[in-house]
Amino acid sequence: MRQVDHFIAGGAAGSAPRTHKIWNPSTGEVQAEVPLGDAALLQKAVEAAKAVQPEWAATNPQRRARVMFEFKRLVENEKQALAELLSSEHGKVVDDAHGDVQRGLEVIEYACGIPQALKGEYTQGAGPGIDVYSMRQPLGIGAGITPFNFPAMIPMWMFGMAIAAGNAFILKPSERDPSVPVRLAQLFLEAGAPEGLLQVVHGDKEMVDAIIDNADIAAISFVGSSDIAQYIYSRGTANGKRVQAFGGAKNHGIVMPDADLDQVVNDLAGAAFGSAGERCMALPVVVPVGEQTADNLREKLIPAIHALRVGVATDKDAHYGPVVTPEHKSRIEQWIDTAEKEGAEVVIDGRGFSLQGHENGFFVGPTLLDRVTPKMESYREEIFGPVLQIVRAKDFEEAVRLPSEHQYGNGVAIFTRNGHAAREFAHRVNVGMVGINVPIPVPVSYHSFGGWKRSGFGDTDQYGQEGLRFWTKAKKVTQRWPDGMADADNKDAFIIPTMG
């Protein structure tokens, strides 16, 4: 059976007594296994990173950028193979996997501009003969702990900015689909990076705790569930580390009475069911304003959802593929059971879906639930599957309040032709990322990504200038070059300096 090894100091690093299955979600078969490492294995990676990071930090930003440019070229040349490998382990269709790779590459493109991004500030003549300037310097060794749902994009979001800024980086990807992260590390080495600069270790909670507790790791970036995000943030910061930890989501789509419902239905089909709903920026809750809007939207949604094609990851005509594991399939169907018991109307039921010829695959059919209320547990919690819930709002005020009061605050969208309503909503809603007639409002690479409340722990977002700030520390220098001898009787030397 194929084994996906750790990638330490430029090569594969041994096996381990514990392993994890890697499924083929389309067939339900185990296709590979990955060793689960421990603190001792992590320390090997840390030592390799410590050996190479000071020289990398001393490399001028332009030369670092050249490595990023070459890495981008190599990934682009191998994009089809990466997408197919990603699909085989995750289950998302190949076209969607291409998007996974491309959105990661867009952050790499931004990181190619690191010479410009790292320029500091300078003030000449801040005081008599005094100049003040600042510089941003790397932290040392950073670590990333990434989820299964974007095995290419999220690692590149993290290590692209961290390494371009002068850090070494240790990545712990999800053990469910680890092959693409390892291949990215291999390509980074081929791009001219020194051995030990980007390494990949595999593991479960034991490895996560080892990363959190390792004294040589200065910063951790995490994406995953909210409970684990809060755990990593609390324990990591208690250990003196810089931590950003992004958690779950329950994104809402507000549909105003004046919205173009045909466009809304098209947007919802992709945002709610694309990638089988396994996205933190999926749109699993739609909030039509007014009963008439809700009834009209439901009438249009039903045939659109019935028309969705569920298929294997390699099916070019499929809208989405299987979910990642049998356990996750079971969990999604249990949430549909819960919603039904709570009083939600199951309009379209995806439970028990079977694909002919692939009966053992981990497929969940598209599901539509109506009459969902804020009191239902199935509304309060993240389902992370191809399930769309309709929560009816009586007016605009209730539509603003629903996402604002939810425990998660990752993303939200409003669909309307009314500029005033859109502007008012964007200003007032208590959510970190807002789309106006954009169902999945993921910011472009030169802005930044991050949610609020239980969707994000820490003070900085991912990538863009926020990402650069996270992976660097600012040093401030105040300098003076006196042209005469010091006056021993100068009493001003005993007074706190000012620039007045």
Side-chain angles (χ1 to χ4, degrees):
M1 181 179 293
R2 179 171 66 92
Q3 177 164 301
V4 181
D5 293 317
H6 308 280
F7 188 76
I8 295 177
S15 58
R18 297 186 305 125
T19 61
H20 189 276
K21 296 176 182 177
I22 302 173
W23 297 94
N24 181 331
S26 294
T27 65
E29 299 171 335
V30 176
Q31 60 168 306
E33 64 179 13
V34 59
L36 301 178
D38 55 15
L41 183 130
L42 174 67
Q43 191 58 40
K44 293 180 181 178
V46 167
E47 293 302 322
K50 287 168 64 176
V52 73
Q53 189 272 330
E55 183 177 353
W56 178 250
T59 301
N60 71 59
Q62 186 173 353
R63 292 184 180 276
R64 286 187 234 143
R66 290 172 186 163
V67 174
M68 307 304 293
F69 272 113
E70 179 63 10
F71 173 69
K72 174 178 175 291
R73 186 188 70 82
L74 292 172
V75 173
E76 287 173 338
N77 287 346
E78 203 168 303
K79 188 183 291 186
Q80 180 65 26
L82 287 168
E84 291 174 358
L85 178 60
L86 193 159
S87 293
S88 73
E89 293 183 353
H90 176 280
K92 65 176 69 177
V93 296
V94 174
D95 283 349
D96 197 14
H98 271 280
D100 190 332
V101 177
Q102 180 58 37
R103 286 309 297 257
L105 277 177
E106 289 170 8
V107 173
I108 298 299
E109 288 175 346
Y110 180 81
C112 289
I114 197 66
Q116 170 71 17
L118 279 177
K119 290 196 305 185
E121 300 170 322
Y122 185 89
T123 299
Q124 183 179 16
I130 295 176
D131 304 326
V132 179
Y133 65 94
S134 65
M135 63 184 81
R136 301 207 71 89
Q137 295 185 324
L139 303 175
I141 301 174
I145 302 169
T146 57
F148 76 87
N149 58 327
F150 285 98
M153 181 184 78
I154 295 179
M156 283 193 275
W157 281 7
M158 294 180 184
F159 73 68
M161 295 305 302
I163 292 176
N167 300 284
F169 196 86
I170 298 172
L171 173 65
K172 194 217 83 68
S174 171
E175 60 274 20
R176 299 177 187 179
D177 48 6
S179 293
V180 167
V182 171
R183 184 58 187 148
L184 291 175
Q186 292 169 344
L187 291 174
F188 207 77
L189 185 66
E190 291 179 29
E195 294 180 357
L197 189 65
L198 174 58
Q199 302 174 94
V200 181
V201 296
H202 305 295
D204 50 14
K205 184 179 184 297
E206 183 176 346
M207 180 59 78
V208 170
D209 286 345
I211 290 171
I212 297 172
D213 295 338
N214 190 287
D216 290 310
I217 294 175
I220 301 172
S221 183
F222 169 82
V223 176
S225 71
S226 290
D227 287 344
I228 298 176
Q230 187 169 18
Y231 169 76
I232 290 174
Y233 180 79
S234 299
R235 184 162 168 173
T237 53
N239 285 339
K241 300 185 189 306
R242 186 176 292 187
V243 182
Q244 55 177 195
F246 298 95
K250 194 78 173 190
N251 305 322
H252 294 57
I254 313 304
V255 182
M256 297 297 291
D258 67 336
D260 180 342
L261 291 188
D262 291 329
Q263 184 63 53
V264 170
V265 168
N266 184 68
D267 288 344
L268 285 175
F273 301 107
S275 197
E278 295 172 317
R279 297 169 174 162
C280 67
M281 288 302 290
L283 210 164
V285 177
V286 60
V287 182
V289 177
E291 286 296 322
Q292 188 63 55
T293 306
D295 290 343
N296 292 342
L297 178 64
R298 169 173 162 159
E299 183 180 353
K300 288 179 176 290
L301 274 171
I302 291 172
I305 293 173
H306 279 307
L308 294 176
R309 179 184 175 105
V310 183
V312 296
T314 55
D315 183 351
K316 295 183 182 299
D317 296 321
H319 292 97
Y320 73 87
V323 299
V324 67
T325 63
E327 293 81 10
H328 193 51
K329 170 183 166 70
S330 176
R331 178 177 178 271
I332 294 166
E333 293 184 337
Q334 286 171 9
W335 273 120
I336 301 171
D337 292 343
T338 298
E340 187 175 32
K341 292 174 184 176
E342 291 176 320
E345 178 188 354
V346 182
V347 182
I348 300 175
D349 193 346
R351 290 171 293 187
F353 181 93
S354 180
L355 186 66
Q356 186 175 1
H358 296 83
E359 288 79 8
N360 294 325
F362 312 142
F363 297 96
V364 179
T367 299
L368 179 64
L369 305 174
D370 196 2
R371 308 291 176 181
V372 175
T373 70
K375 293 183 179 180
M376 295 180 180
E377 186 182 8
S378 61
Y379 166 77
R380 295 194 303 268
E381 298 298 334
E382 184 178 39
I383 296 176
F384 219 61
V387 180
L388 177 61
Q389 297 175 295
I390 300 175
V391 180
R392 297 171 178 236
K394 64 180 182 294
D395 54 28
F396 178 77
E397 291 300 320
E398 185 178 8
V400 175
R401 189 168 63 250
L402 283 166
S404 295
E405 294 180 353
H406 201 281
Q407 65 168 327
Y408 298 119
N410 206 43
V412 68
I414 184 169
F415 301 93
T416 182
R417 292 184 174 97
N418 187 313
H420 174 72
R423 185 175 185 274
E424 185 77 2
F425 181 82
H427 177 72
R428 290 173 52 190
V429 72
N430 185 26
V431 174
M433 292 176 282
V434 180
I436 298 173
N437 297 312
V438 175
I440 303 179
V442 178
V444 294
S445 62
Y446 41 90
H447 285 262
S448 60
F449 176 99
W452 293 355
K453 297 177 282 186
R454 282 182 57 77
S455 292
F457 300 84
D459 300 324
T460 56
D461 290 342
Q462 291 213 47
Y463 63 75
Q465 282 297 309
E466 284 280 291
L468 183 65
R469 280 190 283 271
F470 179 78
W471 293 112
T472 58
K473 53 192 174 186
K475 180 178 287 184
K476 289 70 63 178
V477 180
T478 303
Q479 68 177 11
R480 177 177 66 175
W481 299 102
D483 53 7
M485 297 295 292
D487 184 353
D489 296 326
N490 184 5
K491 293 183 179 180
D492 288 344
F494 294 89
I495 301 172
I496 188 169
T498 66
M499 300 301 170

